[in-house]
Amino acid sequence: MKPHILFVTCLTFLGCATSQRSIPHVAAEEAAWFKVPATLPDTGRQTIPGVVATAIQLAMDDFLPRDLGTPKDAGPQALCLAQRQSYDVEAAPGPEGVVWVSIHPSPGACRQSGPLLDTGSATYAVDVQQWRILAVQHP
C-alpha cells in the first residue's frame, strides 16, 4: 500500500475511533477521594463470564440503545423506562454458541409513576461466536 493511502486510512480509522461517544467519568478531583478496594467484597459478589456479559450488552444495546432519546413531552413512566437500570436481565446458555438473554422491567422500577402498563420485555438468542442477534421474541 502506498504511504499516503496508508496515512489517510489511519487518519480515517482514528477519526472514527475517537468520534465514538465516550463513557462519562467524574472529574479527577472528584474521583481522588474514592478508593477502589484491592479485592471485591464476598457479600453480593457475582462472577459473570465475559461471553455472557458481552451477550447481555449486545441484547441491551438492541433493546434500549444508548443514544435513544425520549420525547420532550414524555411522562414520568416513559422517562423511567428509558433508563437501563429500570430493567433486570437473565441469561442462560442455549444450544452450542448461543446465549439466551431475557430483559424485563425490575419489579420495583418506575412504581412512583403509577402502575406499569405496557412496559416491554424481550428474550434474545445471541450468537456468541459471530456476535450477532439470531432472534428476538417479544411476549
Side-chain angles (χ1 to χ4, degrees):
M1 184 178 276
K2 295 182 180 181
H4 69 282
I5 294 174
L6 180 61
F7 179 73
V8 170
T9 303
C10 288
L11 284 179
T12 302
F13 175 74
L14 288 173
C16 292
T18 58
S19 68
Q20 294 178 0
R21 200 173 95 170
S22 63
I23 304 298
H25 288 261
V26 298
E29 50 278 356
E30 186 179 348
W33 69 269
F34 196 87
K35 302 297 178 214
V36 177
T39 60
L40 295 178
D42 289 334
T43 304
R45 181 173 53 195
Q46 299 175 22
T47 299
I48 302 168
V51 70
V52 174
T54 305
I56 290 170
Q57 182 177 4
L58 185 63
M60 186 58 87
D61 284 345
D62 183 73
F63 182 77
L64 193 60
R66 291 182 189 274
D67 59 354
L68 182 67
T70 53
K72 291 181 181 182
D73 61 344
Q77 191 173 84
L79 292 172
C80 180
L81 291 172
Q83 300 175 49
R84 289 181 172 209
Q85 66 268 25
S86 296
Y87 295 89
D88 287 340
V89 178
E90 298 174 337
E96 187 174 328
V98 173
V99 171
W100 302 111
V101 178
S102 179
I103 303 169
H104 47 88
S106 294
C110 308
R111 295 284 183 221
Q112 70 280 6
S113 58
L116 294 177
L117 302 174
D118 182 20
T119 59
S121 59
T123 300
Y124 286 80
V126 179
D127 174 348
V128 294
Q129 295 174 338
Q130 296 185 32
W131 296 109
R132 57 193 181 150
I133 296 171
L134 299 173
V136 183
Q137 181 180 3
H138 298 276

